[in-house]
Amino acid sequence: MADQIPQLFGTRYVCVFLFLSGMIDTVSTVTHYSVPEEMEEGSVVANLATDLGLDVKTLKGRKMRVDVVGNKKYIDINKDTGELFILERIDRELLCPLKTSTSCFLKLDATIENPIRMFNIEVEITDINDNAPHFRRGTMHLDISESSPVGERFSLNNAADPDVGTNSVNNYHLSSSEHFALEIQTGRDGSKFADLILKKALDREQQAVHNLILTAVDGGVPTRTGTASIIVRVLDVNDNAPSFDKDKYIIDVMENSPIGSLVIQLNATDLDEGSNSDIIYSYSLYTSERTQQVFNLNPENGEIRVKEMINYEDFKLYEMEVIASDKGPNSLTGQCKLTIQVADMNDNHPEISIKSFQSPIKENIELDTVIAVVSVSDKDSGDNGVVDLHIPDNMPFKLRESSDNYYELVVSEPLDRERVPEYDITFTVTDRGSPPLSDNETMTLELLDVNDNVPQFPQSFYTIRVEENNAPGALLSSPTAFDPDLHENQYLVYFILEREIANTSMSMLFSINPENGNLYALKTFDYEIEKEFLFHIEARDSGSPPLSSNVTVHIIIVDQNDNAPVIVSPWRAHGSVVEEKIPRSTDKGSLVSKVIALDTDSVHNSRITYQFLQVTDATLFSLDQYNGEIRTMRMFSYRDPRHQRLVVVAKDNGQPALSATVTIKLSTVETAVKAYSDMTEVPLEYDIFSDLNLYLVIGLGSVSFLLLITILVTIVIKCQKPKPSKAAPPCRNSVISEGNSTIADSTLVSNDAYWYSMFLAETRKGKMVVRQPVPKGSRYIVSSLPRGTGLTDTSGSAASTLQVQITAHFNITKSFKYWPSFNKGYLFAVWNHVVLFFSCSLCFASHTFWLECFFVR
């Protein structure tokens, strides 16, 4: 209701009209205000202080208050502003419930002190249209006889509206109706009421109830309405006779119908109501006594039921006539005829008999094998005696008719016990009667297991990581298999398939529990010796014959940091100090030495870093932490000591880290010999073995070897008895390998018992030292290469000059016997000239070499 106030007055706070009868300083002074009802709480009524001429600043001090006379305190005063405001929402209909007067006042007393003054205030509460008309009864019931004359008047209940004046009920409206109209009248007090007028005759059989809507409308703006339902029930008179749905009924009844079974329920209807529509059923005089003996008619509801057993062979047809009478003052009747036909009944169930049934059977039974014989029968005749036998469709069996009413159950699909261990086979026999009768019998067929499933591993490949230095007998994994068979066919035994690695059987390295497949290590593994193992585990069941499957197991030995780095360059004998000599005139950035350490652990653990542990002068030398090169940071001065002591530590990347140290004693010497480069500074006594001289020595040896080959070839040609050549077996310690050839200018053998992988060591004298692994029990080959030769060039390059010469010599010699079209003597002469040319060249080089040695000395 409060939401209508802005619509009526246009603003949130309604205009207040002030009526002042006078401002006098007596108690009898009355101040009048007028406000609409339903104003929101906190809305301002008027500024009382201004209207009374009071100082707003003194209101609190003078304790001004407002009291409501005889009502709740709907209005209060704001002592800060002197404004009267709505304290609680005002409902005029609640405040002034009696409608004897259109005026409604709220009386207030305002009191102030110092001096004490009282003011009488009257606030008129004006009405707004906040209530809709409503009927005391929401539904009005009227009973009107269908024989009532047109124009008859019926009084209706008035609507009430708590509002006053134009906001109260002003008019009534009736919903559309062809039988009724509305007439509105005004009372002495101005109230409106309505009468219902019948304008068209009623017919209860056409419409027994009329539903009307009466609407009351008030005169407010906007208008409000209230509605009530008028239900007019038309009272009946007996003007309609009973009637059946049909005039004639034909009914089929099965023989042997049980006594009391319903044949038909007749339904006669009377459009009237009450006692005029109550119907009684009875046989007419035309119905025979035999019919009345076999069938019973219920006079109240018209049901015809079987009274005696019906036999098709006695009577095939019954006829009767039934009368329906109402209970009105002037009884009216209706009748119908019935013909009851007796039909033959399928009253015998088919029978099923299991003659033979074989259970259990093996799951690998052959197809079309007979496992059961079944016979069926039915005592009825005709279609009622014809029977059909079937089994469920989702089974691996089928029925095969062998003779009249005999069937064989055979296997139609392969059986699998692991998928379905047993079958509940239901034989269902059904006749062709109407309705069909059936019977069934269920047999359980069990399947016996055969060993037809191989053990299955959940994985086809197992990768097992084992840390080195493991304890013997440690459990590595449990690669178990599963066999869906039963009993002994599913009992599995596990084996390790024998395989030798380096003359060692797998059974000496690993053990497997034959019952549960637990895999154990029998020894402690060393990553540096054995990095991985690959073998197979077999799971075999205990069936007959046994079935098995295997799985590949890949054992990966995980490295631990159990090997300390080994200093391999500069080489020293069992911890002795390495002594090096360098010129004092060495430039800044010159290579002094290079420390190389090797770690046989894995790549991560074998990553080496270098650092100085002790150094005589930290400003003189620098050490590369990654490649171990020691270089000068500045030139030597006269103040620097003659001897420098460097202690280098090489640490690996393991956790915890392992290390090795080498002590290098550097001595500076005064020399006038000019260094060839910052990479090559050799002592004077070592210059005779420079790269050029070393190549000359190798060349002399090669020419001597070629001369020897030439002599042998000459002897072979002269003898003219060529024999098939056999390839010489490769030497175990051969410098020239079959895969990657490495030709060294000098070779020496070390008796070091430790096995190293191939590594390169660069010495201060510009050489590359190569150590290659050889079979167990042999010594190492240590080769010195020029500094400019890299690891890739050395290991992946083609054969050296010497190898090319040897290979060419053998190929030319071997091809002599395959070239019959050439003059062998001519070729031999050419070959001798070539050898002579190389011999002369090498003699000249040798002469130069010895002259150089002489002058150098």
Side-chain angles (χ1 to χ4, degrees), residues 350-370:
E351 297 179 356
I352 184 171
S353 176
I354 307 298
K355 301 299 181 182
S356 175
F357 188 80
Q358 181 182 357
S359 179
I361 61 174
K362 290 186 176 181
E363 62 175 322
N364 62 345
I365 190 172
E366 295 182 358
L367 299 181
D368 290 335
T369 302
V370 178

Side-chain angles (χ1 to χ4, degrees), residues 753-799:
Y754 195 87
W755 283 47
Y756 300 112
S757 301
M758 183 176 67
F759 63 88
L760 301 178
E762 185 175 11
T763 65
R764 181 178 62 84
K765 302 171 183 61
K767 305 300 179 180
M768 300 295 290
V769 179
V770 179
R771 291 193 180 189
Q772 295 175 317
V774 296
K776 187 176 182 181
S778 303
R779 296 177 295 177
Y780 288 91
I781 297 175
V782 181
S783 302
S784 177
L785 299 178
R787 177 177 175 79
T789 304
L791 176 61
T792 304
D793 297 337
T794 303
S795 61
S797 64

Side-chain angles (χ1 to χ4, degrees), residues 182-203:
L182 197 65
E183 184 176 300
I184 301 172
Q185 299 188 27
T186 304
R188 294 180 180 179
D189 56 353
S191 61
K192 305 288 186 179
F193 60 92
D195 290 337
L196 189 66
I197 308 299
L198 180 64
K199 65 180 183 178
K200 183 180 179 181
L202 301 175
D203 188 353

Side-chain angles (χ1 to χ4, degrees), residues 348-353 374-379 387 429 438-439:
N348 291 289
H349 288 265
E351 297 179 356
I352 184 171
S353 176
V374 182
S375 67
V376 294
S377 61
D378 194 322
K379 296 179 180 179
V387 296
V429 58
S438 62
D439 192 11

Side-chain angles (χ1 to χ4, degrees), residues 427-444:
F427 298 92
T428 303
V429 58
T430 307
D431 63 22
R432 298 182 184 179
S434 180
L437 300 178
S438 62
D439 192 11
N440 61 74
E441 187 161 345
T442 301
M443 304 296 292
T444 300

